[in-house]
Amino acid sequence: MEDEHEPLLNRESRGNGNSFVEFEGDIEPTRSLGEFSREFAVESKKLWYLAGPAIFTSICQYSLGAITQAFAGHLGTLELAAVSMENSVIAGFSFGLLLGMGSALETLCGQAYGAGQLDMLGIYMQRSWVILITTALILSIFYVFATPFLILIGQDHRIAAAAGLFSLYMIPQLFAYAVYFPIQKFLQAQSRMMSMAVIASIALLLHTFFSWLVMIKLNWGMVGAAVVLNGSWWFIVVAQLVYIFCGSCGRAWSGFSWMAFRNLWGFVRLSVESAVMLCMNILGWAVMVAIGSNAATRLAKELFQVKNIHNVRVSNELGAGHPRTAKFSVVVVVTTSFILGFVLSMILLATKNDWPKAFTSSEEVKNLVSELTPLLCISIVVNNVQPVFSGVAIGAGWQGLVAYVNIGCYYIFGIPLGLLLGYKLDFGVKGIWNGMLAGTVVQTLILIWMTDRTNWNKEASIAGDRLKHWGGEVAKANDA
């Protein structure tokens, strides 16, 4: 007897002759409006079960740097500028690159978990550690020479020198990133989001107290800021490792293995493709943060977790051989993301003359932000839908193809158009922003077209082949 609570889309092989109809080579279930609504609610529950804790975790981790900057403001203007510059430019670049490279695990761990090949998750995480720690070693050169780099891009010499010194102090955080991102993807693939949220909340509370104690009470200044920020990130890493090593993940972690060093080149290639793909998306957000409203854009970016976590659902279902469930999850997350973006945009638009007052006392700045608010609203809606399809790409393992799409849309089309409108045609900030937005729109349309033409049964088969390729070594080892 079938379970009445089992999602309809997971009953893919048990329909009778009247349950399914052929549709362009794929099998589509016919549902009533009531069945569709129930299935939509089930998928939404799964999505928010992952996305809710992910949003909370992301906010806690973002707040670590923000709190450090807030306390640095009490030390002096130079200290605030130095910490902000390191946090946004030096650490921000490293964060985006390592996060992108770690996103390769979202495909492999997600599909392996969906297929029940839990033994491979720990191997994938260890391979990613090898690659990201090596990348961090290379990026540490960027930290060592941060001062001349900041001067090269036009930063004030005093600020560049102070930020460069603070960057040296923050090298331990760089390696914390390298260890953390594979752990994050490893746990997300297993839907272990609540443990991450609990650890992040404890880290935030400790970080706030010790930042006050060390920076203000003990007057350690920027050295204290570095000690506490490095310590907070390593607390998160160590706490999550203890959680994993204590057996909480079962078969997903069976200890360290030399197999982590096998087939590294293929893993490097997938990691680089993931980094290029994600860093292009981060570029679009960074431009809006720079020329739009920081606060509103940051809020929208945290809602990005709703869509970013969606690739876990896609990869899980493809790995489990449930192509229709993966396809339906796209419908759910697109609808959810559009509603979130639209509601936020309408709130900003309705209060465009009021909400800027909370962040600045300058009438000139308030008027500019109010004038740019309609463009910000459009950007939020577009950028709330676009990452959904990027998430589909990661979940399905299309990183290489989408990386080329992103490069073309941003570097060949969006950025040149923005520079042309902004400087050549004298549209200023609006011109630059419209150019970047146009690049995002083109990218979104291409990704929608790719997703619409996807044969999900074929993608499920490809996921199975991918797992055989990447998991063959473990299978052979187990047979031996």
Side-chain angles (χ1 to χ4, degrees), residues 33 114 172 190 208-209 219 286 325 331 336 351 359 392 452 459 461:
L33 180 59
Q190 303 169 69
T208 303
F209 170 73
N219 199 28
T325 309
V331 176
T336 303
T351 60
F359 305 99
V392 173
D452 181 63
E459 289 301 323
S461 176

Side-chain angles (χ1 to χ4, degrees), residues 8 11-22 27-30 324:
L8 295 176
R11 305 175 194 166
E12 299 189 359
S13 59
R14 298 207 302 272
N16 57 39
N18 298 322
S19 298
F20 303 105
V21 295
E22 296 290 337
I27 300 178
E28 291 285 325
T30 57
R324 286 191 298 275

Side-chain angles (χ1 to χ4, degrees), residues 62-383:
Y62 166 71
S63 297
L64 298 179
I67 288 172
T68 299
Q69 288 182 211
F71 280 109
H74 292 280
L75 300 177
T77 304
L78 180 61
E79 288 81 359
L80 174 60
V83 173
S84 300
M85 188 62 59
E86 188 281 334
N87 196 26
S88 61
V89 178
I90 308 300
F93 172 78
S94 302
F95 183 97
L97 181 62
L98 293 174
L99 172 61
M101 296 185 73
S103 294
L105 291 189
E106 291 178 348
T107 300
L108 298 174
C109 283
Q111 292 183 359
Y113 183 80
Q117 296 186 13
L118 301 183
D119 295 333
M120 284 306 301
L121 270 67
I123 302 298
Y124 291 152
M125 180 170 64
Q126 292 172 62
R127 283 181 185 162
S128 190
W129 277 340
V130 172
I131 295 169
L132 265 65
I133 290 173
T134 303
T135 303
L137 283 170
I138 298 172
L139 286 174
S140 63
I141 299 174
F142 184 44
Y143 281 65
V144 172
F145 295 99
T147 297
F149 171 77
L150 293 173
I151 292 175
L152 180 65
I153 63 175
Q155 190 54 248
D156 177 83
H157 282 234
R158 289 179 65 247
I159 295 177
L165 180 61
F166 189 67
S167 295
L168 290 175
Y169 297 156
M170 293 308 302
I171 289 178
Q173 183 193 51
L174 170 64
F175 288 92
Y177 289 163
V179 180
Y180 169 75
F181 290 127
I183 297 174
Q184 180 192 47
K185 307 309 176 186
F186 172 84
L187 293 175
Q188 283 181 352
Q190 303 169 69
S191 301
R192 299 182 181 274
M193 314 300 300
M194 194 55 67
S195 60
M196 299 172 64
V198 170
I199 292 171
S201 62
I202 295 173
L204 180 60
L205 292 174
L206 293 174
H207 180 81
T208 303
F209 170 73
F210 282 105
S211 292
W212 169 80
L213 176 65
V214 172
M215 296 176 66
I216 306 301
K217 197 70 174 177
L218 299 180
N219 199 28
W220 285 16
M222 289 177 61
V223 174
V227 169
V228 176
L229 191 52
N230 285 324
S232 296
W233 271 99
W234 275 104
F235 170 81
I236 292 173
V237 169
V238 172
Q240 290 183 348
L241 287 175
V242 170
Y243 173 80
I244 294 171
F245 293 166
C246 286
S248 301
C249 297
R251 284 175 47 211
W253 176 258
S254 55
F256 292 97
S257 172
W258 287 108
M259 284 185 289
F261 294 92
R262 297 181 184 176
N263 203 8
L264 274 177
W265 175 243
F267 216 92
V268 169
R269 186 175 62 184
L270 183 61
S271 297
V272 171
E273 290 171 349
S274 298
V276 172
M277 174 181 164
L278 188 61
C279 284
M280 294 307 99
N281 293 334
I282 290 174
L283 173 62
W285 281 106
V287 170
M288 284 196 292
V289 169
I291 64 180
S293 166
N294 192 301
T297 306
R298 283 292 184 178
L299 174 59
K301 193 172 185 292
E302 298 310 327
L303 293 178
F304 173 82
Q305 289 293 329
V306 176
K307 312 172 295 291
N308 189 39
I309 205 68
H310 170 242
N311 50 37
V312 175
R313 291 284 302 121
V314 173
S315 56
N316 281 173
E317 297 300 344
L318 289 179
H322 299 155
R324 286 191 298 275
T325 309
K327 182 177 181 179
F328 188 72
S329 70
V330 177
V331 176
V332 174
V333 79
V334 167
T335 304
T336 303
S337 300
F338 176 81
I339 292 173
L340 286 173
F342 182 79
V343 170
L344 176 59
S345 296
M346 291 301 99
I347 293 173
L348 291 174
L349 196 60
T351 60
K352 67 176 184 177
N353 295 323
D354 300 314
W355 69 266
K357 297 176 183 178
F359 305 99
T360 181
S361 57
S362 169
E363 288 298 325
E364 183 179 357
V365 173
K366 285 190 288 188
N367 291 335
L368 178 60
V369 172
S370 178
E371 183 182 348
L372 291 174
T373 294
L375 191 55
L376 173 64
C377 293
I378 296 172
S379 299
I380 288 175
V381 172
V382 173
N383 280 280

